[in-house]
Amino acid sequence: MDEKSTEKAVLYRYRSIQKCLSEGVSFLTDHFLQFVRLTLPVSIPFAVVVAALIYLACDVTIVTDGTLLMAVVGGLTGLTVALTSVYIALIYRLLQLQDEGCDMKGLTFRRLYGKRLWPMALKALAVSLLISLATTLLCLAMQHILRLPEDDVLLTTASKVVGLVVIALVAIAVLTPVTLCTPGALLGEGRFFSNVWTAYKWGWRRWGKVFSLNLLVGIIVWVVSTLLFAPAIVVGLMQRNATMSIMGGDAVDLPASFGFWVAVVFILSAFVYTLLLWLQHVPLAYQYATAKVSVDEEQSQKKPMI
């Protein structure tokens, strides 16, 4: 097998949970500087928009009009969702290009940001909206349980606890396979909803492995983000306390350049978050590829021998 054939077979092959994670990390680290450079047109505005949202959350005094504040927050949130979708599409597009045997070191902006990227970004946005809708419905169900009448305190409390536990378990069971829907929609061939539904069914069939991978990735992302975002958390709390003091009429003894450095820390933290998206999505893409290979093998074995 020649070198190009080996590159082309790199995505769709069987991987264990550990391999999905380790090769997902390797995919980023092997071409780290190249990928960071290629994604700068999206990651930089993404970092600025997210930093602005965090800054508003910590210092709302810069927008005193409530209506204007809601409009600004709504606009920034919409931009965040759109830029996140484009960035996720970039991740899967890079996986596609590697699978096609593209020389990653010689990859150009023109090829990466070509016409095939933008339909993938729209699909990523559509999947995120579907997942948000499903999550919202579950949250509404939990709120409904919490608002049960309290005629009998003990009975109502027990009912609430049981109901919340049941909904939590159902949410874990139902939403775990959903994590394969994004790679299914972006990497699958065919219609959007068909690809999403097929990936969801594959997630159910491999529920234990998908859950284990999500749990492992979630723990790693949580630990890494906690360590890397510690400076942003500290300066954010300082900014928020300063805002509360100003609103209470107290004087705040902070340097004049403090707001600037807060913005810098928030932008750097948001930029780091874009790198964590690789840890969340590439292992899942490999899990989806593994599921596809397993299903293809099962279907080939079921075909009658001629």
Side-chain angles (χ1 to χ4, degrees):
M1 181 179 293
D2 58 18
E3 183 178 352
K4 186 172 182 179
S5 298
T6 303
E7 287 286 334
K8 192 173 181 60
V10 71
L11 180 58
Y12 292 100
R13 61 182 178 82
Y14 182 85
R15 294 176 177 85
S16 63
I17 296 174
Q18 294 80 4
K19 279 290 185 180
C20 288
L21 181 59
S22 62
E23 292 189 21
V25 174
S26 298
F27 178 73
L28 174 61
T29 55
D30 290 347
H31 311 283
F32 181 76
L33 294 179
Q34 173 73 342
F35 288 169
V36 170
R37 181 181 69 86
L38 290 170
T39 55
L40 283 179
V42 178
S43 59
I44 289 179
F46 175 86
V48 172
V49 170
V50 172
L53 270 175
I54 301 174
Y55 198 95
L56 283 175
C58 297
D59 187 2
V60 295
T61 58
I62 60 176
V63 182
T64 56
D65 187 347
T67 303
L68 179 60
L69 176 62
M70 293 299 295
V72 172
V73 171
L76 291 176
T77 302
L79 283 175
T80 302
V81 173
L83 290 171
T84 302
S85 300
V86 176
Y87 196 89
I88 291 173
L90 283 172
I91 295 174
Y92 286 95
R93 180 62 184 139
L94 286 166
L95 284 168
Q96 273 188 343
L97 289 170
Q98 186 188 52
D99 187 51
E100 294 169 359
C102 174
D103 179 14
M104 306 305 287
K105 294 182 179 180
L107 183 61
T108 62
F109 285 96
R110 183 176 181 179
R111 183 169 185 183
L112 178 60
Y113 290 86
K115 60 182 181 179
R116 293 181 61 183
L117 173 67
W118 306 108
M120 296 177 69
L122 290 176
K123 292 177 182 178
L125 177 61
V127 172
S128 65
L129 292 177
L130 289 175
I131 294 175
S132 298
L133 177 61
T135 306
T136 301
L137 292 176
L138 288 172
C139 290
L140 290 175
M142 295 181 73
Q143 288 182 357
H144 178 72
I145 290 177
L146 291 174
R147 293 174 181 173
L148 288 175
E150 299 183 357
D151 297 333
D152 187 333
V153 177
L154 292 177
L155 180 60
T156 303
T157 302
S159 300
K160 288 181 178 179
V161 171
V162 173
L164 291 176
V165 170
V166 170
I167 288 181
L169 293 176
V170 171
I172 294 173
V174 172
L175 294 180
T176 293
V178 168
T179 55
L180 287 190
C181 290
T182 299
L186 273 64
L187 298 176
E189 298 177 357
R191 295 184 177 181
F192 172 77
F193 287 105
S194 176
N195 291 334
V196 171
W197 178 242
T198 299
Y200 186 77
K201 291 190 294 183
W202 290 354
W204 266 112
R205 295 177 60 179
R206 303 176 59 86
W207 193 93
K209 293 183 178 181
V210 175
F211 176 79
S212 300
L213 181 61
N214 277 301
L215 180 63
L216 186 59
V217 170
I219 292 174
I220 294 174
V221 170
W222 178 77
V223 172
V224 173
S225 62
T226 300
L227 295 175
L228 294 177
F229 293 167
I233 294 172
V234 172
V235 297
L237 290 174
M238 292 175 63
Q239 182 70 22
R240 187 167 183 82
N241 291 335
T243 301
M244 298 300 293
S245 298
I246 294 173
M247 294 176 67
D250 298 330
V252 178
D253 187 17
L254 288 176
S257 61
F258 183 74
F260 169 77
W261 291 111
V262 169
V264 170
V265 172
F266 286 166
I267 290 174
L268 291 176
S269 299
F271 183 81
V272 169
Y273 173 72
T274 63
L275 300 179
L276 292 179
L277 286 174
W278 292 84
L279 290 178
Q280 298 177 40
H281 284 276
V282 178
L284 285 174
Y286 287 148
Q287 183 67 260
Y288 167 80
T290 299
K292 185 177 186 304
V293 170
S294 300
V295 170
D296 290 344
E297 289 179 353
E298 292 176 2
Q299 291 178 348
S300 63
Q301 292 176 358
K302 291 180 180 179
K303 290 182 179 179
M305 299 297 293
I306 300 177

